[in-house]
Amino acid sequence: MIYACWYQKWISNTDMEAKDLAINGGPAVSGKLIGYGHQSINEDDAESVMRILKGDFLTCGPATDQFEEDLKLVTGARYVTAVANGTAALHVACLAAGIEPGDEVIVSSITFAASANCVRYCGGIPVFADIDPQTWNIDPESISKKITDRTKAVIAVDFGGVPVNADEIESICEENGLIFIEDAAHSIGSSVQGRPVGALADITTFSFHPVKTITTGEGGAVATNDPDLARRVELFAKHGITRDPSLMERDPHGGWYYEQLELGYNYRISDIQAALGSSQLKRLPEFRARRQGIVRQYDEAFACIPEISCQLDEMPDETTRHLYCLRFDVDALGVTRRFIFDALRAEGIGVNVHYLPVYRLPYYEHLGYAQDECPEANDYYEEAVTLPLHCCMSDEDVGRVIEAVEKVVMACREQAA
C-alpha cells in the first residue's frame, strides 16, 4: 500500500527500543516509550508493606479485614470480600449468583476474556451483547434482545472506567428475574449521580492489577449489599469452609471446629497485598484528579480532529478513567488501525488495543460463536487504539502523546491527498 513506504522511512529513523518494549506498557516514563499504564507506588505504600513483612501475619490477618472495611467506604457496599485477583472475583460472583451448567449469562463483548471465562468456569454459556456506538459500553437494548428462558444473569463491564447504564440494566434484570453483576475492574472511584460504583448492581467485582487505578500487585474484590449473596461469595472464595456456628449443620465440637458447606476455592488475598491496597485507597482522590486532568487535556486536543472519536462520558467529573481509547476513521485517513498503532509505537507512545471482541478469540470461535456476533463491537475493534493514561505521566508526556497523534493524523492526510 502507498503509506507502507512512508512508514518504513519513518521508523528507520526511530530507536528500535521503543518498538520492541513489551505490550504491557514497558517502563513507566523511561527511555523513549510512554507505557499505556503503570502503577504509582510511593514511600507510604512501601512502608505499609514493610510493616506486614515485619509483623505476625502475612495472610488471613487484620490487614485484609482493614482493606475490606476501606473498600466498603469507597464503594458504598455493606459487604466486601477481597480476593486474589479480578478473575477470581468474577468467578465467585458467578458461583454466588448460582450459575450452573447450561445457564446463559449475557456478557459485554468488548472486554477482557475473564468477563466471559468466569461463566464458562461454572459450565454456563456466555451470550455476547453488542456495545453502544458512543459510550462503547454494553447496550441495554442488545441485552433485552438476547434474553431467553435460560438467561440467569448479566455481566456488564464499565469500559475504560465509564459506568454502564446501571439504572436501565437493573430495570431489565428486575423485570426478567436476572442477577446484575457489574464488572468494575476499570471503574473504582467512579460514581453515578453520587452513587459509587460498588453499590449500583447486585454484585460488583473489582481488579487491582498494576495497570488499574489502584493496585495490590494482583488482587480483586467482590462487593454486594445482599447478605445472602455476600455469604455465598465468602464461602466460595475460601474453600467453601466456615467457622460461623450460625451456618453450621452440626453443633461445634470445640474451638478448632469448621465445616465445608460448598466446593469452594482458595481465592484469598494476602495481608501483604491488602496493606498495599489500603495505602493505595488513601491516594484514590489524588489518582482520580490526575487521571481526570489528563483526560481533559486529551479531550480538548482531539475534539479538533474530525477523524478521531472519543468515548462518550456524560459525567466526566464522576468518572475515574482507567483507559483512554480513540476511534480513528481509518477510511477517511486511508490507512488501517494496524498502521496507526505501529506508527504511534514508532513515535515512542506505548499504545495498546482494548479489546478484541471476546467471541473472536480462537477458544470462543471453536465453541461456535459467529465472528459477526456484534456488528458495533466489530466496527469499534477495527478502529480502536488505547493511549497512555496513568499517574506517572507528566504534562510533558501528555503533550508528547498529543503531538504524536496529531503527527500521525497529519501524515495520513498528506499521503491520502
Side-chain angles (χ1 to χ4, degrees):
M1 301 179 74
I2 297 174
Y3 56 80
C5 297
W6 163 67
Y7 172 62
Q8 290 298 328
K9 181 179 179 181
W10 185 10
I11 66 171
S12 67
N13 296 318
T14 305
D15 194 316
M16 288 299 295
E17 180 186 2
K19 300 191 293 301
D20 291 338
L21 287 168
I23 198 169
N24 196 32
V29 191
S30 63
K32 296 186 178 180
L33 185 136
I34 304 173
Y36 90 87
H38 198 277
Q39 70 275 10
S40 172
I41 304 295
N42 66 12
E43 290 299 321
D44 289 340
D45 295 330
E47 179 57 33
S48 70
V49 172
M50 286 302 301
R51 283 196 297 269
I52 299 302
L53 292 174
K54 294 176 180 179
D56 295 325
F57 295 93
L58 296 185
T59 191
C60 299
T64 296
D65 295 336
Q66 184 61 56
F67 184 41
E68 291 173 345
E69 291 300 316
D70 294 341
L71 283 168
K72 290 176 188 178
L73 294 175
V74 169
T75 64
R78 292 173 59 194
Y79 309 98
V80 172
T81 298
V83 294
N85 52 63
T87 301
L90 284 163
H91 188 193
V92 296
C94 286
L95 291 166
I99 306 304
E100 297 177 345
D103 289 338
E104 293 180 351
V105 179
I106 298 173
V107 181
S108 297
S109 51
I110 295 295
T111 182
F112 185 59
S115 303
N117 291 349
C118 60
V119 180
R120 296 291 298 152
Y121 297 157
C122 299
I125 303 169
V127 176
F128 295 101
D130 213 343
I131 62 170
D132 181 286
Q134 293 184 297
T135 67
W136 310 337
N137 272 323
I138 193 169
D139 183 355
E141 184 177 347
S142 183
I143 292 174
S144 294
K145 292 178 179 178
K146 301 279 184 171
I147 294 172
T148 72
D149 57 5
R150 298 169 66 185
T151 307
K152 199 162 189 176
V154 173
I155 299 177
V157 177
D158 298 329
F159 181 72
V162 179
V164 294
N165 189 335
D167 287 343
E168 191 167 351
I169 295 172
E170 181 181 33
S171 178
I172 292 169
C173 288
E174 287 181 353
E175 183 179 343
N176 293 276
L178 310 178
I179 298 289
F180 175 17
I181 300 172
E182 185 173 9
D183 182 344
H186 295 181
S187 59
I188 191 165
S190 293
S191 59
V192 178
Q193 297 179 341
R195 296 170 62 204
V197 167
L200 305 177
D202 296 314
I203 308 174
T204 306
T205 66
F206 296 94
S207 169
F208 307 127
H209 184 277
V211 297
K212 301 303 197 306
T213 299
I214 74 157
T215 186
T216 58
E218 286 279 5
V222 186
T224 182
N225 285 318
D226 185 309
D228 292 330
L229 288 173
R231 178 184 64 82
R232 289 174 60 79
V233 165
E234 188 83 3
L235 280 173
F236 283 117
K238 299 176 181 178
H239 301 284
I241 288 174
T242 185
R243 293 181 181 272
D244 183 347
S246 68
L247 300 179
M248 292 180 181
E249 297 181 4
R250 303 182 181 91
D251 291 335
H253 299 162
W256 68 88
Y257 186 71
Y258 58 84
E259 289 185 352
Q260 181 178 344
L261 305 179
E262 301 280 1
L263 181 60
Y265 298 80
N266 182 9
Y267 283 159
R268 296 174 303 194
I269 197 171
S270 73
D271 272 36
I272 300 168
Q273 295 166 291
L276 177 57
S278 288
S279 182
Q280 288 264 297
L281 281 175
K282 293 176 184 176
R283 302 178 63 199
L284 184 56
E286 163 198 340
F287 292 156
R288 180 191 299 116
R290 181 56 184 153
R291 286 174 177 269
Q292 288 178 341
I294 295 171
V295 168
R296 283 194 293 270
Q297 291 182 70
Y298 282 163
D299 284 346
E300 182 178 353
F302 302 136
C304 304
I305 303 177
E307 297 92 344
I308 288 178
S309 300
C310 302
Q311 183 178 13
L312 175 63
D313 181 4
E314 295 180 338
M315 294 176 284
D317 292 340
E318 293 194 64
T319 300
T320 304
R321 190 76 73 88
H322 161 51
L323 298 174
Y324 193 93
C325 305
L326 295 177
R327 286 185 69 168
F328 289 83
D329 187 341
V330 293
D331 291 335
L333 293 171
V335 297
T336 63
R337 187 270 310 282
R338 171 63 185 273
F339 174 77
I340 293 169
F341 179 95
D342 288 344
L344 287 170
R345 282 234 156 193
E347 285 294 303
I349 311 302
V351 291
N352 207 332
V353 173
H354 295 84
Y355 292 93
L356 185 78
V358 180
Y359 53 82
R360 290 175 61 170
L361 298 173
Y363 171 78
Y364 286 95
E365 183 181 2
H366 297 159
L367 289 176
Y369 287 87
Q371 298 298 283
D372 58 353
E373 192 87 14
C374 300
E376 293 291 351
N378 281 340
D379 288 347
Y380 164 84
Y381 170 66
E382 297 300 334
E383 299 179 337
V385 174
T386 304
L387 300 185
L389 174 61
H390 56 83
C391 293
C392 292
M393 296 177 67
S394 66
D395 285 342
E396 180 182 356
D397 297 321
V398 177
R400 275 188 56 200
V401 174
I402 293 170
E403 182 181 356
V405 171
E406 292 173 340
K407 177 179 179 180
V408 170
V409 170
M410 183 62 67
C412 290
R413 288 174 179 167
E414 289 175 356
Q415 68 83 27

